[in-house]
Amino acid sequence: MNRYSINEFIKNTEQVDKGEGFFELETPRLLEVNLNGLVWAKAGSMVAYHGKIKFEREGILEHGLGTMFKKALTGEGASLMKANGDGKLYLADSGKKIIILHLENEAIFVNGNDLLAFEPSINHKIKMMKKVAGMMAGGLFNIRCEGTGLIAITSHYEPLTLRVTPGKPIITDPNATVAWSGNLQPEFQTDITLKTFLGRGSGESIQMRFEGDGFVIVQPFEETYYKQAQSYGG
């Protein structure tokens, strides 16, 4: 058979059931959800599905007035949708690499732009990074996921996990920070000398400082937040 034929292409790329369960990585950048009930997913992440599935945007009052105000401030980046039904759902986000994590009565913070999907057994809460609201364009919020179940997060290229140990804080660029352990509370700091040295915008001078005992996941890429960048003149 001609290796460039349509039949050969289909054979090499068609969907194959791997029997991995609720979440299944069809490719490193495409998540299959074997749906029989409900899943939460990033709004706009559906690329295909079959079966009977109904999509619904997260209600603005779903988690109370406080969340409503947070969502108004954070823009579209943290918007979630519910997919409910029976079938196969395929999710992706701008070709980013997908990581599946199983939480066992654990908590993890995920950058609002990097949370792709999670089981309904996981409690989620949007957290504002109030100290940086007027300081930088983007990375203003994160989502705390807690409980037992599967979550899928995304990373531009291969992620790196850095251990945070007492007395050895880890400093990261907010736009390259994907997630961190639920017991860590990052502080924000500005580095005026770095900003001056680089001669660049405010994004480079704001840093996240993690202290304690845990981990932080970073990606080799600085995400830009166009909507927020326009809002803050960045």
Side-chain angles (χ1 to χ4, degrees):
M1 185 184 291
N2 186 327
R3 66 185 175 127
Y4 296 123
S5 70
I6 288 178
N7 284 338
E8 188 69 9
F9 174 79
I10 291 171
K11 189 177 88 172
N12 290 333
T13 60
E14 70 179 327
Q15 182 265 330
V16 177
D17 277 324
K18 301 174 185 174
E20 293 176 358
F22 186 63
F23 281 175
E24 192 171 292
L25 280 181
E26 281 298 317
T27 75
R29 301 168 197 280
L30 200 62
L31 179 71
E32 177 186 274
V33 184
N34 292 294
L35 196 58
N36 182 17
L38 173 71
V39 69
W40 285 93
K42 184 175 182 177
S45 63
M46 185 275 286
V47 295
Y49 72 91
H50 66 76
K52 292 186 177 179
I53 300 175
K54 180 184 175 186
F55 298 91
E56 184 184 345
R57 293 238 354 171
E58 182 180 26
I60 198 159
L61 291 174
E62 189 129 2
H63 301 286
L65 277 170
T67 298
M68 180 184 78
F69 290 123
K70 289 174 185 176
K71 287 179 74 65
L73 285 169
T74 57
E76 291 299 307
S79 291
L80 297 168
M81 66 180 182
K82 289 183 284 187
N84 207 334
D86 190 3
K88 289 185 183 293
L89 171 62
Y90 298 94
L91 304 174
D93 185 12
S94 303
K96 292 160 70 176
K97 188 177 177 72
I98 298 168
I99 302 109
I100 298 173
L101 299 173
H102 184 260
L103 303 187
E104 294 188 32
N105 198 26
E106 296 167 293
I108 187 172
F109 285 98
V110 184
N111 183 298
N113 204 42
D114 299 323
L115 182 61
L116 181 64
F118 53 94
E119 287 193 88
S121 58
I122 297 292
N123 294 316
H124 70 286
K125 185 179 289 186
I126 295 175
K127 298 275 190 179
M128 286 292 291
M129 300 182 187
K130 296 174 184 173
K131 291 183 180 178
V132 289
M135 295 163 65
M136 62 177 290
L140 301 180
F141 60 95
N142 53 69
I143 301 175
R144 180 182 169 89
C145 296
E146 186 171 16
T148 297
L150 293 168
I151 71 170
I153 65 177
T154 59
S155 167
H156 284 280
Y157 312 106
E158 280 63 38
L160 175 69
T161 300
L162 300 169
R163 294 287 309 184
V164 181
T165 55
K168 293 186 177 179
I170 295 290
I171 315 298
T172 67
D173 180 332
N175 292 331
T177 306
V178 173
W180 56 95
S181 46
N183 60 312
L184 297 181
Q185 296 289 338
E187 291 292 322
F188 287 86
Q189 62 184 37
T190 54
D191 190 328
I192 303 302
T193 54
L194 181 63
K195 181 179 177 182
T196 307
F197 174 71
L198 291 168
R200 294 176 65 176
S202 62
E204 289 291 346
S205 65
I206 310 274
Q207 300 165 347
M208 295 176 80
R209 181 185 179 93
F210 295 88
E211 289 196 68
D213 190 2
F215 64 86
V216 57
I217 303 170
V218 294
Q219 62 185 0
F221 186 92
E222 290 182 56
E223 292 211 51
T224 52
Y225 302 79
Y226 299 107
K227 186 167 292 189
Q228 293 171 346
Q230 290 165 2
S231 300
Y232 294 104

